[in-house]
Amino acid sequence: MNNAIRTASRRLAASSVAILLGVYCAMSRAADASSPPAMPVMAAPPAGVYQIDKSHASLQLRVSHMGFSTYTTRFSHFDATLTFDPGNLPASKLVATVDAASLEMDAAPKMCTDIVKGPQFLDTNKFPKIVFRSEKIRMTGAKSFEILGSLDLHGVTRPLVLTGTYNGGYAGMPDMDPHARVGFSARGAFKRSDFGMGYGVPAPGTTMGVGDLIDMSIEVEFTGPPLRTAAGSPH
C-alpha cells in the first residue's frame, strides 16, 4: 500500500513539473511574440553643420524674487547653428540667437511684463536680439565640456561660460528620422547688472527686489546631415 502511494506521489510530482514547464515555455513564447523588436545599432553622427530642432529644445531662466521664491521663465523663440565633429568636440562652433521679446511670463500682470520687456530691463524694441557665440570649447571629461564665448545682451557684449554635456547622437534612423541627430544639456549664469540692467536689484544685504544673478538651463537637440544608405548616397 505504501509503495503504491509513493509511486502515485512521484507520478503526480512529475506531471506537475511537466505542466509548469509547459506553462512557462508558452508564456515565454507569448512574451517574445509581444515584445517590440530590438532597436538596431545606430551609427555615430557624422561631422557637419547642424540646425536646432525647435520641437526638442528649451531655454529656461531662473531668478530670485524677493528671496521668497525662484521665479522660472523661458524664451519661446530662438535659433542656433552648430558646426559639429563628434571625433573632435573642441573644434565645434555654436551661434545662438534669441528673440528677446519672446520671454514668456505666463500669469504675470501686464505691468510686470511691460517693465521686463521695457527700457528698465530687456528694452526689446531697441535690442530685439540676444546672441551667444562660442569662441573655445574645453573638454572637462569624456562628454562634459565648457563653452567659452560672448553674450550680446541689451547692447552690451561680455564673456559667458556654459557648462555642458554631450548626450549622444546617431547618423539617423531609416524611415523614421532620416537625418543625423545630437543632443546636449548646458547651464550658465550671469549678472544682469553687468549688461546694464540694474533696475530692481536688491540693495546690499537684502533680498527685496529681483535678483541680479540669472541662471540659465538649456536642453537642445540638433539635426544634421542626411542619413546615408548602404550604397553611400543620402537617404
Side-chain angles (χ1 to χ4, degrees):
M1 182 69 177
N2 289 336
N3 290 337
I5 293 173
R6 283 195 295 270
T7 301
S9 297
R10 283 196 294 268
R11 290 175 178 173
L12 178 61
S15 300
S16 298
V17 169
I19 292 171
L20 289 173
L21 286 174
V23 170
Y24 173 79
C25 291
M27 291 176 64
S28 298
R29 287 193 297 270
D32 291 340
S34 61
S35 297
M39 294 295 290
V41 176
M42 298 297 165
V49 176
Y50 287 69
Q51 300 293 329
I52 194 170
D53 176 2
K54 297 179 182 179
S55 64
H56 294 96
S58 63
L59 172 55
Q60 292 188 325
L61 308 177
R62 290 162 55 87
V63 62
S64 171
H65 180 249
M66 298 193 299
F68 298 156
S69 67
T70 300
Y71 181 71
T72 302
T73 184
R74 67 193 183 282
F75 286 103
S76 57
H77 297 291
F78 49 90
D79 205 349
T81 299
L82 173 68
T83 304
F84 175 74
D85 182 352
N88 186 12
L89 287 178
S92 301
K93 296 184 182 298
L94 173 70
V95 177
T97 303
V98 180
D99 179 358
S102 72
L103 186 71
E104 302 289 348
M105 298 182 66
D106 299 329
K110 185 177 183 301
M111 177 184 68
C112 293
T113 303
D114 290 344
I115 290 174
V116 171
K117 296 185 179 183
Q120 297 98 323
F121 276 84
L122 291 172
D123 200 357
T124 58
N125 287 332
K126 188 175 181 180
F127 306 107
K129 298 296 181 184
I130 302 169
V131 182
F132 175 78
R133 296 179 178 86
S134 69
E135 297 172 356
K136 181 180 179 180
I137 296 178
R138 180 170 58 215
M139 300 303 296
T140 58
K143 291 189 175 184
S144 61
F145 53 84
E146 290 180 336
I147 304 177
L148 290 72
S150 62
L151 180 64
D152 298 340
L153 170 62
H154 196 247
V156 179
T157 302
R158 286 190 174 274
L160 177 67
V161 178
L162 299 177
T163 301
T165 302
Y166 171 47
N167 299 322
Y170 55 52
M173 296 178 64
D175 303 320
M176 294 183 64
D177 192 5
H179 286 79
R181 179 177 295 272
V182 293
F184 300 86
S185 302
R187 294 186 68 108
F190 62 89
K191 289 185 177 181
R192 60 184 178 91
S193 60
D194 289 343
F195 293 86
M197 296 182 291
Y199 179 85
V201 170
T206 76
T207 59
M208 295 306 293
V210 177
D212 194 10
L213 187 67
I214 308 294
D215 180 78
M216 297 185 301
S217 177
I218 302 161
E219 296 290 336
V220 62
E221 294 181 21
F222 292 87
T223 59
L227 176 66
R228 304 188 73 82
T229 64
S233 59
H235 180 76

